[in-house]
Amino acid sequence: MTFAKDPATVLPALALLSYRVRVLPLDADSLVKMPEDTILFVDACDDLASAKTLCSLMRASGLGTPVILVLSEGGFTVVNRDWGLTDIVVRTASPAEVEARLRLVIEGGRRSHPSAPIPAASQAEPEPEEGQIRAGDLLVDTDGYTARLRGQPIDLAYKEFELLKYLVQHPGRVFTRAQLLQEVWGYDYYGGTRTVDVHIRRLRAKLGGEYEHLIGTVRNVGYRFDPADTDGQEPGKDGSGRQTPKGGQEPTQDTTPPDRQTHKASRSKHPHANSGHGGGKTV
């Protein structure tokens, strides 16, 4: 992220490495545009104040994206741990140094978030205790601030957990982005509703493709938590995979004689599936 007219001058060594590079403006709106598996370079060479504001916003929002700050030599005196950085690099760094720093960030992320598949439960899950909310394979402990999927812990940032907890506590209820921002972040939060979109995207990614449907999108309105049925079926579908009305009841057959039936056009809404982005790291 940079405001530089020529982004290649921010960290020249990066252009010599075999990574996909995407340039974004140095502002909060760009956080929504970041693809998954991103390592974010923030240009602080000419505007330390803007870089610090963006880093503070990411830290307050609980985003887990690794951040490498690009500095001139004079900028090292003002950077500290409160910025929430993963690493720092001087703009004149060699390609070998930049490659080494990227490799360390990638390897560190793999250790923190192993990609091993979640094993299936070998036995029936125990009944949830006080302060715990179960929705199918998902268990949210509101007292212990933990969430588990098929018995395996989900690594959630604080605000990600707060958002998931609030949605799980109100299954099926639709909330606008403004409502979620008010209830989860509070009245005094200065960020915009795009923060909610970013956290929803992160939650779905951490739930995985099999469970991302638990957080549903209501177009032009907001989001809701769609708990899975107790028999493990997806919401709104019976055992044959057909779409069923809310509540799981089959439609009744019309017994009116054919010559007296009134034909009415009906419209049905079909949920849109979100396709994840594959591929390697993007910097």
Side-chain angles (χ1 to χ4, degrees):
M1 286 187 181
T2 181
F3 285 137
K5 294 182 179 179
D6 184 4
T9 62
V10 176
L11 188 60
L14 188 58
L16 303 177
L17 303 177
S18 57
Y19 291 95
R20 296 197 307 270
V21 179
R22 181 179 180 183
V23 180
L24 296 172
L26 188 64
D27 55 43
D29 288 342
S30 297
L31 298 179
V32 184
K33 304 174 184 177
M34 289 191 305
E36 297 294 335
D37 295 328
T38 292
I39 298 176
L40 180 61
F41 284 88
V42 176
D43 177 16
C45 296
D46 300 320
D47 193 345
L48 278 167
S50 296
K52 182 177 182 180
T53 299
L54 183 67
C55 292
S56 299
L57 176 60
M58 293 184 63
R59 185 177 184 183
S61 301
L63 296 181
T65 303
V67 177
I68 300 179
L69 196 69
V70 183
L71 291 166
S72 61
E73 292 185 0
F76 281 86
T77 57
V78 300
V79 177
N80 55 49
R81 67 193 316 179
D82 294 335
W83 286 48
L85 303 173
T86 305
D87 201 352
I88 55 178
V89 64
V90 67
R91 69 187 310 170
T92 56
S94 66
E97 179 181 348
V98 175
E99 170 68 29
R101 293 182 184 276
L102 284 170
R103 185 173 64 251
L104 290 174
V105 171
I106 294 171
E107 292 176 353
R110 288 173 180 169
R111 288 194 297 269
S112 302
H113 308 288
S115 57
I118 301 175
S122 58
Q123 57 185 4
E125 294 287 349
E127 290 296 321
E129 301 176 358
E130 184 178 357
Q132 294 181 342
I133 305 173
R134 181 178 297 280
D137 293 331
L138 178 66
L139 179 66
V140 177
D141 186 348
T142 60
D143 294 334
Y145 282 83
T146 59
R148 292 179 174 271
L149 194 59
R150 288 186 175 179
Q152 300 299 310
I154 310 173
D155 185 14
L156 298 177
Y158 175 74
K159 284 301 181 183
E160 291 172 350
F161 176 83
E162 287 291 311
L163 178 58
L164 177 63
K165 179 182 74 172
Y166 189 77
L167 290 172
V168 170
Q169 288 175 332
H170 304 86
R173 180 177 172 184
V174 180
F175 294 96
T176 66
R177 293 167 175 81
Q179 286 175 322
L180 291 173
L181 197 67
Q182 173 182 309
E183 296 295 335
V184 177
W185 279 265
Y187 289 97
D188 56 347
Y189 181 70
Y190 60 88
T193 54
R194 287 182 178 270
T195 299
V196 177
D197 296 329
V198 172
H199 281 70
I200 290 291
R201 189 182 71 180
R202 301 290 183 185
L203 277 177
R204 284 173 173 162
K206 292 183 178 181
L207 289 172
E210 185 179 354
Y211 294 94
E212 64 179 6
H213 65 270
L214 291 176
I215 302 178
T217 299
V218 181
R219 179 167 293 185
N220 297 326
V221 181
Y223 301 101
R224 71 181 175 198
F225 182 75
D226 291 324
D229 296 339
T230 54
D231 59 359
Q233 301 169 5
E234 290 188 15
K237 289 189 178 181
D238 61 12
S240 64
R242 295 173 297 174
Q243 195 74 18
T244 60
K246 191 171 181 60
Q249 297 181 350
E250 291 285 353
T252 58
Q253 183 177 1
D254 188 358
T255 58
T256 307
D259 59 342
R260 298 181 60 186
Q261 289 182 355
T262 302
H263 299 280
K264 298 180 179 179
S266 63
R267 295 163 57 187
S268 62
K269 296 181 180 179
H270 298 275
H272 294 273
N274 293 325
S275 61
H277 297 280
K281 287 280 182 180
T282 301
V283 296

